[in-house]
Structures are given as structure tokens and as C-alpha cells.
């Protein structure tokens, strides 16, 4: 097996069964994500992006097919704390301060108090939340809560970071700022990252590799490598290369939508 | 409530008490239903030593009963949570047990456990455990699925998921249950004393009743209402202090 792939999915499918109804959310999906890559799934809503992401992270099991992460099964990788995961909503524990939320994974792994505190402070710093350590989630804005969730996902030094539409619902400027922040964090840590989004320019801005997904059943319809120098900036976004990638990805996505119409 | 509304409510009560006082003074003779409030207060003051001693006995019974009831209720809630199939059966059994009128069950328990502390604690516990079972079971069931997924991602075992991620979610529901269970335990302890006891406010009530001492009955009524009200207020305050993050504790903020 090649040593450079962080994640391989081999003919993964998922069928949900509710009562007597069954619904195929994912067809047979195969993909490879090399180590230290920033990969993105983009596609119409309901095409199975979240489902695929959750299967890769072993939050749910596939109906058929196999996932391997650094040569082991996804379940093994999860149990060995390989994954950081940011849900579509931040899912913070409301009784814990921002700091204590970031500490949670370390606390559950028996890391002693002084060490986990220091690490959590460092991570809150990294996501630009110094000064908000003591704030309860109810007092944080949506963007800040998401940054806490990102910090929490980074605590155990994951080998793979999963992000499910982490900036959904933020206005455009905040989203761009968060993207720049995310890129900075990624450049610092170089953690293999898998992002779900339905925003084209976000995908181009952040990714090395973009998977375009289609519906009925969910599948990968195209794959695009983004070869732009980093760090990418607001200026990059107006460069001819960026605009060309944006156009190309939009065209691919349009096909995915058209294909999905009955 | 606005200040004006509060003033209106206060004046309503003052008027009511005033009318009661006047009516009581004009029409009262020993043995009639409504002694004037000042007579009730004087009786309470004159009897304070005896009644406070009685009340303290009842408080102890109710407190111990509440403690036992809460431990029992939490235990049942956790069993129901852990063993879905068997839990359903336990839940039903708890419901049946709770449905038996305490006044019917009390004589049996007093006969079996004696007229001392034990029967009072048992009866108070029976009154207190069920609200805890219902509220905590429901709260544990309704924990956000994504929180459980977070637990799975962090590879946390069942027990620590419960302790760190699900139990705290159930805490506001537990305090809501205590606000019901606390007063219920006081009332149950008094019912138990009524059935058979050596001391306690329920017993004092019984004596006052058979002596046709209406001011004493009203005095005890007042005292026991203060006790149940206090039991409610304590858990209201504790709940707010213990779960400052919960929406019901953040009244007036934001
Ligand atoms: N737990 C589930 N049970 C039943 N159906 C589900 C479940 N999770 C997702 N689905 C269905 O699978 C499809 C893909 O969902 P999802 O992966 O969330 O899509 P996306 O993230 O691309 O919007 C949707 O039609 C959704 O209704
Ligand atoms: Mg989704």
C-alpha cells in the first residue's frame, strides 16, 4: 500500500433504512487523499457530503466498502485519536467555558490539568480568541463558537482534521476572514484536512484537491487539483488563475446540479 | 412584572388580609372557620417552641426522605437509560408504585416500619422519587445526537460520555424535579405523621384538629406552607447557581 495516502475509500456506499423505507445516500465512492493535503467535497445539498465525511471519520459505518486511514481501518484510527472533527454546528458543551470546551478532549484522555490548560490557551490563541477563555458558549458569536470548535478539534494533534461546513451561515466577509485564518492554521500544522462546503470560492481558496459530488445516489463526479501558491490572499482571489479555477469548478458543479434534476 | 403591577398585587393581598381581619374580629367565636390573622399569628408566637420543635422533626424526616428518594430516582433513571428493554419495565413499576395514594400506603408502611423515623423517611421518599425518575430519564433521552457523536469521535466510553457530556445536560431537569419533590416530601412526611407518630407537625395538626383549636390549625397551616415554599425556593436558587448556563437561569440577561 502506498505510504503517502492519508485516506483511501474503496467502493464505500451507504443506505439508510427507516422502517420499511430504504434510501441510498451514497453510491460506490472511491477516493484517495494524500498526506498533508487540504481536500474538499463540494456538491448540491443532500448529495451525501456529510454522510461521506462521517463515514471517513467512522462516526457512522458504511453499508459496504472500506475506509483506510494511514493503512489502518477508520475505526482503529478513530480509537487511536487520529481525528479532529468540526460539525456543521459547533456542538459546544454550554456549561463549559471556551477554555474548558477546548480542554475537553484532553481531559477525557487523562492529560493533566496544567498541561491541558497550557495547550488549550495556545490553541485559543491560534484561532484568535485570546481574552475569551472564560466566556460561556451562549456569550460567543457564531463565528467565535466555530473557532472554539476548531481549536477543540486540534487539541490532540489530529493526523486528519474533518470540517463539515464550518463557516456556514457566516456573512461573506467573516467567511473570508475565517478562511484566511483556517489557511494560516493549516500552514502552521499541515494537518491533512477534509472540508465540506458548497461555496465555490471557499473551495478554490483553501484546497489542494476538490471532489465534486452529485446526487441520486451520492457519488464523486469530478476531481480538480488546485495548483495555486500559498499563502493565498485576498489578492490571490482576483488573480486570473484563481478566477479560472473558480469558473472551471462552477461549471463542474453546474453539471452536478443538472445531473441531479429528475 | 412592572412596578405598578407588583404594587397592584401587593395591595390586593393587603386588602384581602384586612377584610379577613375585620370579618374575623366581628364574627369570630372559638370553633368557627376564620379566626382573624392577628389571632393566628399570636397563636403561632405563643406556640413557637413546641411548633418549631415539631417542624424540625418533620423537616428532618422530609429531608432524609428526599435524599433517599433522589438517590433512588437517579438510580432508576440511570438503569432505565442503560438497559432500554428492562428499563421500560422498571419505569412502569415506578409509575405503578407512585400511583398508589400515599394516604392508603402510609398505614401499611407505618405498621411495618414502626411509628418512628423510618416509616416517615420511606413515605417521603416514595413521594419524592418519581419526579426525579421522569425528568432525568426524559432529559437523558433528549441529549443532542451530535453530542453523542462527539463522544464517539473522542472515543469516550459509555460511563464517561454519561458523566462529562450527558449528565450535565440533565442537571436543569433534575433541579426542576427537586422543586416538585422537595415540597412533596414535606407533605408526605406530614401525612405519615398523621397516620402514626410520636412527634412532628402532622401530629400537632392532628391534636389541634381533635381539640377544635382553629387558630392552632391555621398556625400550623401557615408554618407548613412556609416549609414547602422554602423547599421550593431552595432548589430554585440552587438550580440557578448550579446551572448558570441554562436558559431558565439567565432571566433578565441579554
Ligand atoms: N441518519 C440518517 N437517516 C436517514 N437519512 C439520512 C441520514 N443522514 C442523512 N440522510 C439522508 O442522506 C442524504 C445525504 O445527506 P447528507 O450527507 O447530510 O447530505 P449533504 O451533507 O450533502 O447535504 C440526504 O437525503 C439525507 O436526508
Ligand atoms: Mg451536510
Amino acid at each position: 500500500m502506498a505510504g503517502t495516502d492519508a485516506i483511501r475509500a474503496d467502493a464505500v456506499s451507504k443506505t439508510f433504512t427507516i422502517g420499511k423505507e430504504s434510501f441510498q445516500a451514497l453510491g460506490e465512492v472511491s477516493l484517495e487523499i494524500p498526506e498533508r493535503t487540504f481536500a474538499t467535497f463540494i456538491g448540491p445539498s443532500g448529495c451525501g457530503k456529510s454522510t461521506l465525511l462521517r463515514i471517513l471519520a467512522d462516526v457512522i459505518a458504511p453499508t459496504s466498502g472500506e475506509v483506510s486511514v494511514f493503512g489502518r481501518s477508520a475505526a482503529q484510527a478513530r480509537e487511536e485519536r487520529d481525528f479532529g472533527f468540526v460539525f456543521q454546528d459547533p456542538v459546544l458543551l454550554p456549561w463549559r467555558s471556551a477554555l474548558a470546551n477546548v480542554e475537553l478532549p484532553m481531559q477525557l484522555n487523562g492529560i493533566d490539568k496544567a498541561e491541558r490548560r497550557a495547550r488549550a490557551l495556545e490553541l485559543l490563541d491560534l484561532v484568535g480568541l485570546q481574552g475569551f477563555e472564560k466566556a460561556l458558549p451562549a456569550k460567543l458569536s457564531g463565528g467565535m463558537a466555530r473557532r472554539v470548535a476548531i481549536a477543540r478539534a486540534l487539541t490532540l494533534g489530529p493526523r486528519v482534521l474533518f470540517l463539515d461546513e464550518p463557516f456556514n451561515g457566516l456573512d461573506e466577509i467573516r467567511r473570508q476572514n475565517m478562511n484566511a485564518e483556517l489557511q494560516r492554521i493549516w500552514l502552521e500544522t499541515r494537518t491533512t484536512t477534509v472540508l465540506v462546503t458548497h461555496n465555490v470560492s471557499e473551495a478554490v481558496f483553501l484546497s489542494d484537491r476538490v471532489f465534486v459530488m452529485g446526487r441520486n445516489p451520492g457519488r464523486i463526479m469530478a476531481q480538480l487539483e488546485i495548483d495555486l501558491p500559498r499563502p493565498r490572499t485576498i489578492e490571490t482571489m482576483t488573480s486570473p488563475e484563481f478566477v479560472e479555477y473558480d469558473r472551471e469548478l462552477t461549471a463542474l458543479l453546474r453539471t452536478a446540479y443538472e445531473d441531479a434534476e429528475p | 412584572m412592572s412596578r405598578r403591577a407588583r404594587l397592584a398585587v401587593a395591595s390586593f393581598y393587603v386588602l384581602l388580609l384586612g377584610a379577613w381581619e375585620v370579618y374575623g374580629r366581628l364574627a369570630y367565636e372559638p370553633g368557627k372557620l376564620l379566626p382573624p390573622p392577628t389571632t393566628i399569628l399570636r397563636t403561632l408566637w405563643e406556640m413557637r417552641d413546641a411548633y418549631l420543635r415539631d417542624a424540625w422533626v418533620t423537616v428532618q424526616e422530609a429531608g432524609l426522605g428526599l435524599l433517599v428518594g433522589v438517590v433512588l430516582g437517579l438510580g432508576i433513571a440511570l438503569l432505565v437509560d442503560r438497559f432500554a428493554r428492562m428499563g421500560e419495565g422498571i419505569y412502569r413499576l415506578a409509575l405503578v408504585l407512585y400511583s398508589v395514594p400515599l394516604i392508603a400506603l402510609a398505614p401499611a408502611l407505618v405498621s411495618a416500619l414502626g411509628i418512628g423515623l423510618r416509616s416517615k423517611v420511606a413515605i417521603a421518599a416514595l413521594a419524592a422519587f418519581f419526579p426525579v425518575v421522569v425528568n432525568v430519564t426524559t432529559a437523558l433521552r433528549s441529549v443532542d445526537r451530535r453530542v453523542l457523536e462527539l463522544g464517539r469521535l473522542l472515543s469516550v466510553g459509555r460511563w464517561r460520555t454519561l458523566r462529562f457530556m450527558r449528565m450535565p445536560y440533565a442537571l436543569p431537569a433534575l433541579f426542576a424535579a427537586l422543586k416538585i419533590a422537595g415540597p412533596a416530601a414535606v407533605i408526605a412526611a406530614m401525612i405519615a405523621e398523621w397516620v402514626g407518630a410520636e412527634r412532628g407537625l402532622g401530629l400537632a395538626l392532628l391534636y389541634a384538629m381533635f381539640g377544635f383549636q382553629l387558630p392552632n390549625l391555621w398556625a400550623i397551616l401557615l408554618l407548613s406552607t412556609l416549609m414547602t415554599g422554602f423547599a421550593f425556593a431552595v432548589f430554585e436558587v440552587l438550580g440557578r447557581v448550579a446551572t448558570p448556563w441554562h436558559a431558565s437561569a439567565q432571566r433578565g440577561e441579554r
Side-chain angles (χ1 to χ4, degrees), chain A residues 54 58-59 78 89 108 138, chain B residues 146 149 152 160 245 254:
Chain A
R54 287 140 63 89
D58 192 46
V59 178
R78 175 177 61 76
D89 302 299
L108 293 172
Chain B
R146 296 164 312 170
E149 289 182 353
R152 180 175 161 97
R160 287 197 304 163
W245 49 273
R254 284 154 79 81

Side-chain angles (χ1 to χ4, degrees), chain A residues 208-261:
Chain A
D208 299 313
R209 179 176 289 186
V210 181
F211 297 94
V212 181
M213 292 182 66
R215 264 189 304 208
N216 293 330
R219 66 212 134 112
I220 291 173
M221 303 187 56
Q223 183 176 326
L224 182 68
E225 309 287 324
I226 311 285
D227 193 10
L228 290 170
R230 291 183 193 267
R232 299 167 188 169
T233 62
I234 305 292
E235 285 73 55
T236 315
M237 295 179 76
T238 52
S239 72
E241 295 86 353
F242 190 100
V243 172
E244 177 54 25
Y245 277 125
D246 196 301
R247 200 194 52 73
E248 191 177 350
L249 189 54
T250 305
L252 287 170
L253 195 58
R254 207 171 277 282
T255 325
Y257 271 84
E258 274 158 18
D259 236 53
E261 302 306 327

